[in-house]
Amino acid sequence: MSIVSSVNHILPIAASMEPPRLQGAAISGLGFYVPDRILTNSELAERVDTSDEWIQSRTGIRERHIAAPHEATSDLALIAAHRALKNAGVDAADLDLILCATSTGDYVWPATACIIQDKLGAKHAAAFDLSAACSGFCYGLATAAGFIQTGAMKKILVIGADALSKHLNWDDRSTCILFGDGAGAAVLTPCSAGCGILSSTLGSDGSGLESVWLAAGGTRTPITTEVLDKKLNCLAMRGKEVYRFALEMVPAAIYEALKRVCRSPEDISLLVLHQANSRIIEAVSERLGMNPDRVFMNLDRYGNTSAASIPIALTEADEQGRMKKDDIIVTVGFGAGLTWAVNVIRWN
Ligand code: UT7
C-alpha cells in the first residue's frame, strides 16, 4: 500500500515537471507505556553488590519498570501506540507507515513493527524496524519527517520501544542497575513549512562497536551452550567509554543541528536528552550554557529505557505543559553503534 501511495504522490509532480515542494512534519500526538512492575535500587542491592546511594549518586536512577515474563516489546509498544494515536486524533487505519525503533524486537525477524501493524489494524501501513539503539527514536523522527516533507506519506507512527531487562546479566552490577523497560510513540503529520521537525543531525562511529553491545545471537556468534555460559547473550558495556563518547559527540551534534536552522542554545526552550545518566545530562547542559529548568529529566523513575527514553520524556514534558506553541525543542539520542542523533523541533 505504501508503494501505491508513494506513486500517487510522485506522479503529479513528474507530470508537471515541478520540483517537489517541501512541507513541514509535526508531532501531532504522543503516548507512552511502562510495565507495572517497579524495581527499586534497594531490591537490586539484595541481588548484587551495590547500594541505593551508589546508584543514585553515579546515575540519578532511583527505580525502573520491568516487563513481566509474558510481556514482549510489541506489547509495550502497542499500548504506547494506542495512546499516541488517541492523543493525535488519528485512526490506525489511516497510517501510511509504522516505524519501530528497537534493539529488543519480539523475534530476530520479522520486524516488531509488523506485529504492531497487525494488532493496531493499520491495514494501509507499511512497517519496518529501525536499529540504532538508544538513538533509534531520533533516527526514526528524522526518517519519518523525510517521508512527510517530500509528500510521499501523510501519517506516520514512530515508536521507540525496548525491553532490555530480557537481555541483561542480572549478576553484573555495572549494567543491571542502569536499564528499564518501556515504550513511547509519536504520530507525525504534515504541517506548514518552518514548523515541526526543522533539522536533524545523525551520526555513527562503528569503531565503537564493543563499547556497548549484545555480542551473541546474530550470524557472527550464534547461541551455543558455551555462549550462554559466558553470558555473551547479554548486554555488555564499557561504561566509561560510552560516557566519554557522549560528552565528546553530543554537544557538537547539538551545535551542528542548531546551526543548520540558524539557531543557538539560547533559543532552546526544552532540551530532551537520552535519559542514560543524570551526570551526562548535567555536563552536556553545562557545555551548552543551559540552566536545569530548560532541561528535562525523568530517569530517576525509569532508568535508561533505550529507544523509549526520548518519547517517554517528550510525553511527560507535554503532559506537564513544558512545551508550548513555537517553542524550540531539541531531542538527542546517543548509544550503541556507536550512534547519535539530534532533532530540532518547532513545537506546534
Ligand atoms: O544507553 C547506552 C548508553 N550508556 C550510557 O550512557 C552509560 C554511560 N556510562 C555511565 O553512565 C557510567 O560510566 C556508569 C554509571 C555506567 C558507571 O559510572 P562510573 O562513574 O563510570 O563508574 P566506574 O565504571 O568507573 O566504576 C567505579 C567503581 C568501580 O570500582 P573500583 O574499580 O573503583 O573499585 C566499579 O567496580 O564503582 C564500581 N561499580 C559499582 N559499585 C557499586 C560499578 N558498578 C557499581 C555498582 N555499585 N552498581
Side-chain angles (χ1 to χ4, degrees):
M1 167 55 206
S2 68
I3 295 170
V4 175
S5 70
S6 308
V7 169
N8 282 346
H9 284 96
I10 288 163
L11 275 180
I13 292 165
S16 65
M17 298 302 282
E18 280 177 17
R21 199 171 291 162
L22 290 185
Q23 60 191 349
I27 293 178
S28 52
L30 287 159
F32 82 96
Y33 173 76
V34 287
D36 292 338
R37 165 82 166 101
I38 294 174
L39 180 65
T40 64
N41 291 347
S42 308
E43 283 177 88
L44 278 168
E46 288 167 17
R47 180 171 181 126
V48 289
D49 182 14
T50 190
S51 65
D52 179 42
E53 195 282 326
W54 192 96
I55 301 172
Q56 283 210 47
S57 61
R58 296 291 178 116
T59 70
I61 300 165
R62 280 192 293 119
E63 59 191 33
R64 68 288 291 143
H65 292 246
I66 302 293
H70 68 272
E71 271 180 315
T73 298
S74 72
D75 299 320
L76 314 183
L78 193 65
I79 299 174
H82 275 299
R83 290 176 178 174
L85 287 166
K86 188 170 175 216
N87 189 238
V90 167
D91 194 328
D94 294 330
L95 288 171
D96 296 311
L97 172 66
I98 297 169
L99 197 166
C100 182
T102 185
S103 310
T104 57
D106 288 20
Y107 306 105
V108 174
W109 57 271
T112 297
C114 293
I115 300 165
I116 299 163
Q117 179 271 336
D118 177 44
K119 292 194 175 161
L120 280 177
K123 291 196 180 77
H124 305 294
F128 66 89
D129 285 359
L130 191 157
S131 174
C134 304
S135 312
F137 183 79
C138 296
Y139 262 69
L141 281 188
T143 307
F147 279 118
I148 289 177
Q149 286 161 350
T150 57
M153 291 185 182
K154 288 201 177 337
K155 290 179 179 154
I156 301 181
L157 180 66
V158 180
I159 300 166
D162 270 309
L164 270 171
S165 70
K166 314 262 183 189
H167 295 287
L168 293 177
N169 174 356
W170 287 98
D171 295 323
D172 176 9
R173 69 175 183 174
S174 70
T175 53
C176 75
I177 54 128
L178 297 172
F179 298 93
D181 301 334
V187 177
L188 266 71
T189 51
C191 64
S192 48
C195 287
I197 297 165
L198 302 180
S199 86
S200 295
T201 296
L202 312 182
S204 69
D205 176 7
S207 70
L209 172 79
E210 295 181 20
S211 297
V212 47
W213 69 330
L214 202 157
T219 52
R220 177 75 59 196
T221 312
I223 301 285
T224 61
T225 46
E226 192 194 348
V227 159
L228 294 176
D229 287 345
K230 290 183 177 166
K231 303 265 191 202
L232 295 178
N233 59 317
C234 296
L235 178 150
M237 184 173 74
R238 300 178 193 146
K240 278 252 184 294
E241 275 179 26
V242 182
Y243 195 97
R244 275 196 295 270
F245 145 75
L247 289 199
E248 192 186 317
M249 286 313 305
V250 167
I254 295 173
Y255 274 111
E256 173 65 30
L258 287 167
K259 201 171 113 193
R260 286 186 188 176
V261 286
C262 303
R263 303 275 183 168
S264 64
E266 297 89 76
D267 298 319
I268 302 176
S269 305
L270 193 67
L271 179 64
V272 183
L273 273 174
H274 172 45
Q275 305 286 303
N277 185 317
S278 56
R279 289 187 293 143
I280 295 178
I281 297 174
E282 281 155 10
V284 169
S285 317
E286 232 168 72
R287 287 187 191 189
L288 298 173
M290 292 184 65
N291 289 332
D293 61 329
R294 288 193 290 143
V295 181
F296 193 82
M297 230 189 304
N298 65 359
L299 85 170
D300 57 325
R301 287 172 289 123
Y302 302 118
N304 179 346
T305 56
S306 192
S309 105
I310 303 279
I312 291 176
L314 276 178
T315 310
E316 286 204 330
D318 195 31
E319 286 169 355
Q320 292 166 17
R322 292 184 68 178
M323 303 190 293
K324 300 190 179 56
K325 187 168 160 32
D326 293 329
D327 275 358
I328 296 295
I329 312 297
V330 172
T331 54
V332 188
F334 60 87
L338 297 166
T339 55
W340 59 93
V342 181
N343 316 107
V344 180
I345 306 167
R346 187 167 160 207
W347 206 249
N348 51 335

